PDB file of all heavy atoms in Angstrom:
ATOM      1  N   ALA A 252      12.548  54.142   0.884  1.00 92.00           N
ATOM      2  CA  ALA A 252      14.004  54.264   0.996  1.00 92.00           C
ATOM      3  C   ALA A 252      14.507  53.540   2.244  1.00 92.00           C
ATOM      4  O   ALA A 252      15.551  52.870   2.227  1.00 92.00           O
ATOM      5  CB  ALA A 252      14.400  55.738   1.038  1.00 92.00           C
ATOM      6  N   ARG A 253      13.748  53.666   3.325  1.00 93.00           N
ATOM      7  CA  ARG A 253      14.127  53.004   4.581  1.00 93.00           C
ATOM      8  C   ARG A 253      14.049  51.483   4.435  1.00 93.00           C
ATOM      9  O   ARG A 253      14.896  50.755   4.953  1.00 93.00           O
ATOM     10  CB  ARG A 253      13.194  53.486   5.691  1.00 93.00           C
ATOM     11  CG  ARG A 253      13.592  53.100   7.105  1.00 93.00           C
ATOM     12  CD  ARG A 253      14.836  53.810   7.562  1.00 93.00           C
ATOM     13  NE  ARG A 253      14.960  53.779   9.021  1.00 93.00           N
ATOM     14  CZ  ARG A 253      16.089  54.002   9.653  1.00 93.00           C
ATOM     15  NH1 ARG A 253      17.192  54.284   8.966  1.00 93.00           N
ATOM     16  NH2 ARG A 253      16.137  53.982  10.976  1.00 93.00           N
ATOM     17  N   LEU A 254      13.040  50.970   3.742  1.00 94.00           N
ATOM     18  CA  LEU A 254      12.890  49.528   3.537  1.00 94.00           C
ATOM     19  C   LEU A 254      14.072  48.978   2.743  1.00 94.00           C
ATOM     20  O   LEU A 254      14.619  47.923   3.085  1.00 94.00           O
ATOM     21  CB  LEU A 254      11.580  49.232   2.805  1.00 94.00           C
ATOM     22  CG  LEU A 254      10.282  49.494   3.579  1.00 94.00           C
ATOM     23  CD1 LEU A 254       9.079  49.260   2.679  1.00 94.00           C
ATOM     24  CD2 LEU A 254      10.196  48.600   4.805  1.00 94.00           C
ATOM     25  N   VAL A 255      14.452  49.683   1.690  1.00 94.00           N
ATOM     26  CA  VAL A 255      15.582  49.235   0.869  1.00 94.00           C
ATOM     27  C   VAL A 255      16.873  49.258   1.680  1.00 94.00           C
ATOM     28  O   VAL A 255      17.703  48.346   1.602  1.00 94.00           O
ATOM     29  CB  VAL A 255      15.713  50.122  -0.388  1.00 94.00           C
ATOM     30  CG1 VAL A 255      16.995  49.773  -1.157  1.00 94.00           C
ATOM     31  CG2 VAL A 255      14.495  49.963  -1.280  1.00 94.00           C
ATOM     32  N   GLU A 256      17.044  50.297   2.490  1.00 94.00           N
ATOM     33  CA  GLU A 256      18.245  50.444   3.311  1.00 94.00           C
ATOM     34  C   GLU A 256      18.384  49.319   4.326  1.00 94.00           C
ATOM     35  O   GLU A 256      19.489  48.829   4.603  1.00 94.00           O
ATOM     36  CB  GLU A 256      18.192  51.797   4.018  1.00 94.00           C
ATOM     37  CG  GLU A 256      19.388  52.086   4.904  1.00 94.00           C
ATOM     38  CD  GLU A 256      19.239  53.388   5.668  1.00 94.00           C
ATOM     39  OE1 GLU A 256      18.081  53.802   5.924  1.00 94.00           O
ATOM     40  OE2 GLU A 256      20.263  53.989   6.014  1.00 94.00           O
ATOM     41  N   LEU A 257      17.250  48.874   4.880  1.00 94.00           N
ATOM     42  CA  LEU A 257      17.274  47.873   5.945  1.00 94.00           C
ATOM     43  C   LEU A 257      17.079  46.442   5.457  1.00 94.00           C
ATOM     44  O   LEU A 257      17.135  45.499   6.259  1.00 94.00           O
ATOM     45  CB  LEU A 257      16.179  48.197   6.976  1.00 94.00           C
ATOM     46  CG  LEU A 257      16.428  49.435   7.830  1.00 94.00           C
ATOM     47  CD1 LEU A 257      15.173  49.828   8.593  1.00 94.00           C
ATOM     48  CD2 LEU A 257      17.582  49.189   8.805  1.00 94.00           C
ATOM     49  N   LEU A 258      16.843  46.255   4.158  1.00 94.00           N
ATOM     50  CA  LEU A 258      16.592  44.904   3.646  1.00 94.00           C
ATOM     51  C   LEU A 258      17.733  43.932   3.933  1.00 94.00           C
ATOM     52  O   LEU A 258      17.476  42.793   4.362  1.00 94.00           O
ATOM     53  CB  LEU A 258      16.302  44.957   2.148  1.00 94.00           C
ATOM     54  CG  LEU A 258      15.992  43.608   1.492  1.00 94.00           C
ATOM     55  CD1 LEU A 258      14.775  42.953   2.141  1.00 94.00           C
ATOM     56  CD2 LEU A 258      15.772  43.776  -0.017  1.00 94.00           C
ATOM     57  N   PRO A 259      19.020  44.304   3.712  1.00 90.00           N
ATOM     58  CA  PRO A 259      20.094  43.343   4.046  1.00 90.00           C
ATOM     59  C   PRO A 259      20.078  42.912   5.515  1.00 90.00           C
ATOM     60  O   PRO A 259      20.277  41.732   5.826  1.00 90.00           O
ATOM     61  CB  PRO A 259      21.374  44.121   3.704  1.00 90.00           C
ATOM     62  CG  PRO A 259      20.948  45.133   2.689  1.00 90.00           C
ATOM     63  CD  PRO A 259      19.556  45.522   3.099  1.00 90.00           C
ATOM     64  N   SER A 260      19.810  43.859   6.410  1.00 92.00           N
ATOM     65  CA  SER A 260      19.748  43.515   7.834  1.00 92.00           C
ATOM     66  C   SER A 260      18.562  42.602   8.119  1.00 92.00           C
ATOM     67  O   SER A 260      18.673  41.644   8.907  1.00 92.00           O
ATOM     68  CB  SER A 260      19.628  44.783   8.682  1.00 92.00           C
ATOM     69  OG  SER A 260      20.753  45.611   8.519  1.00 92.00           O
ATOM     70  N   ALA A 261      17.421  42.873   7.475  1.00 94.00           N
ATOM     71  CA  ALA A 261      16.240  42.031   7.675  1.00 94.00           C
ATOM     72  C   ALA A 261      16.490  40.619   7.172  1.00 94.00           C
ATOM     73  O   ALA A 261      16.078  39.636   7.811  1.00 94.00           O
ATOM     74  CB  ALA A 261      15.041  42.647   6.953  1.00 94.00           C
ATOM     75  N   LEU A 262      17.162  40.485   6.040  1.00 91.00           N
ATOM     76  CA  LEU A 262      17.479  39.155   5.506  1.00 91.00           C
ATOM     77  C   LEU A 262      18.390  38.393   6.462  1.00 91.00           C
ATOM     78  O   LEU A 262      18.209  37.185   6.682  1.00 91.00           O
ATOM     79  CB  LEU A 262      18.145  39.285   4.131  1.00 91.00           C
ATOM     80  CG  LEU A 262      17.227  39.723   2.982  1.00 91.00           C
ATOM     81  CD1 LEU A 262      18.056  40.067   1.744  1.00 91.00           C
ATOM     82  CD2 LEU A 262      16.222  38.615   2.647  1.00 91.00           C
ATOM     83  N   THR A 263      19.377  39.089   7.034  1.00 89.00           N
ATOM     84  CA  THR A 263      20.280  38.437   7.990  1.00 89.00           C
ATOM     85  C   THR A 263      19.527  37.983   9.232  1.00 89.00           C
ATOM     86  O   THR A 263      19.712  36.848   9.711  1.00 89.00           O
ATOM     87  CB  THR A 263      21.410  39.400   8.390  1.00 89.00           C
ATOM     88  OG1 THR A 263      22.126  39.808   7.225  1.00 89.00           O
ATOM     89  CG2 THR A 263      22.369  38.732   9.363  1.00 89.00           C
ATOM     90  N   ILE A 264      18.667  38.843   9.767  1.00 93.00           N
ATOM     91  CA  ILE A 264      17.887  38.485  10.955  1.00 93.00           C
ATOM     92  C   ILE A 264      16.985  37.289  10.653  1.00 93.00           C
ATOM     93  O   ILE A 264      16.893  36.336  11.444  1.00 93.00           O
ATOM     94  CB  ILE A 264      17.059  39.682  11.438  1.00 93.00           C
ATOM     95  CG1 ILE A 264      17.987  40.776  11.984  1.00 93.00           C
ATOM     96  CG2 ILE A 264      16.057  39.255  12.518  1.00 93.00           C
ATOM     97  CD1 ILE A 264      17.283  42.081  12.284  1.00 93.00           C
ATOM     98  N   ALA A 265      16.318  37.314   9.494  1.00 93.00           N
ATOM     99  CA  ALA A 265      15.422  36.216   9.130  1.00 93.00           C
ATOM    100  C   ALA A 265      16.195  34.910   8.974  1.00 93.00           C
ATOM    101  O   ALA A 265      15.755  33.846   9.437  1.00 93.00           O
ATOM    102  CB  ALA A 265      14.686  36.557   7.835  1.00 93.00           C
ATOM    103  N   PHE A 266      17.357  34.984   8.339  1.00 87.00           N
ATOM    104  CA  PHE A 266      18.155  33.778   8.139  1.00 87.00           C
ATOM    105  C   PHE A 266      18.604  33.197   9.471  1.00 87.00           C
ATOM    106  O   PHE A 266      18.466  31.984   9.718  1.00 87.00           O
ATOM    107  CB  PHE A 266      19.368  34.095   7.265  1.00 87.00           C
ATOM    108  CG  PHE A 266      20.287  32.927   7.058  1.00 87.00           C
ATOM    109  CD1 PHE A 266      19.989  31.956   6.119  1.00 87.00           C
ATOM    110  CD2 PHE A 266      21.438  32.788   7.812  1.00 87.00           C
ATOM    111  CE1 PHE A 266      20.829  30.872   5.927  1.00 87.00           C
ATOM    112  CE2 PHE A 266      22.279  31.711   7.639  1.00 87.00           C
ATOM    113  CZ  PHE A 266      21.975  30.744   6.693  1.00 87.00           C
ATOM    114  N   LEU A 267      19.141  34.054  10.339  1.00 86.00           N
ATOM    115  CA  LEU A 267      19.609  33.566  11.642  1.00 86.00           C
ATOM    116  C   LEU A 267      18.459  33.005  12.464  1.00 86.00           C
ATOM    117  O   LEU A 267      18.601  31.963  13.121  1.00 86.00           O
ATOM    118  CB  LEU A 267      20.292  34.697  12.404  1.00 86.00           C
ATOM    119  CG  LEU A 267      21.723  35.036  12.005  1.00 86.00           C
ATOM    120  CD1 LEU A 267      22.232  36.195  12.828  1.00 86.00           C
ATOM    121  CD2 LEU A 267      22.630  33.834  12.166  1.00 86.00           C
ATOM    122  N   ALA A 268      17.318  33.692  12.440  1.00 90.00           N
ATOM    123  CA  ALA A 268      16.170  33.204  13.213  1.00 90.00           C
ATOM    124  C   ALA A 268      15.716  31.846  12.708  1.00 90.00           C
ATOM    125  O   ALA A 268      15.388  30.951  13.494  1.00 90.00           O
ATOM    126  CB  ALA A 268      15.022  34.212  13.132  1.00 90.00           C
ATOM    127  N   GLY A 269      15.684  31.683  11.380  1.00 89.00           N
ATOM    128  CA  GLY A 269      15.272  30.404  10.822  1.00 89.00           C
ATOM    129  C   GLY A 269      16.224  29.282  11.173  1.00 89.00           C
ATOM    130  O   GLY A 269      15.809  28.210  11.625  1.00 89.00           O
ATOM    131  N   VAL A 270      17.521  29.531  10.999  1.00 84.00           N
ATOM    132  CA  VAL A 270      18.523  28.497  11.288  1.00 84.00           C
ATOM    133  C   VAL A 270      18.531  28.142  12.770  1.00 84.00           C
ATOM    134  O   VAL A 270      18.480  26.965  13.151  1.00 84.00           O
ATOM    135  CB  VAL A 270      19.923  28.966  10.840  1.00 84.00           C
ATOM    136  CG1 VAL A 270      20.995  27.995  11.324  1.00 84.00           C
ATOM    137  CG2 VAL A 270      19.981  29.098   9.329  1.00 84.00           C
ATOM    138  N   GLU A 271      18.591  29.161  13.623  1.00 84.00           N
ATOM    139  CA  GLU A 271      18.686  28.912  15.064  1.00 84.00           C
ATOM    140  C   GLU A 271      17.451  28.194  15.597  1.00 84.00           C
ATOM    141  O   GLU A 271      17.544  27.282  16.420  1.00 84.00           O
ATOM    142  CB  GLU A 271      18.885  30.244  15.797  1.00 84.00           C
ATOM    143  CG  GLU A 271      19.197  30.114  17.277  1.00 84.00           C
ATOM    144  CD  GLU A 271      20.655  29.824  17.552  1.00 84.00           C
ATOM    145  OE1 GLU A 271      21.420  29.687  16.577  1.00 84.00           O
ATOM    146  OE2 GLU A 271      21.019  29.707  18.730  1.00 84.00           O
TER     147      GLU A 271
END
Side-chain angles (χ1 to χ4, degrees):
R253 191 69 161 161
L254 292 175
V255 173
E256 180 185 27
L257 290 168
L258 181 59
S260 298
L262 288 169
T263 302
I264 292 171
F266 177 80
L267 281 178
V270 171
E271 188 82 358

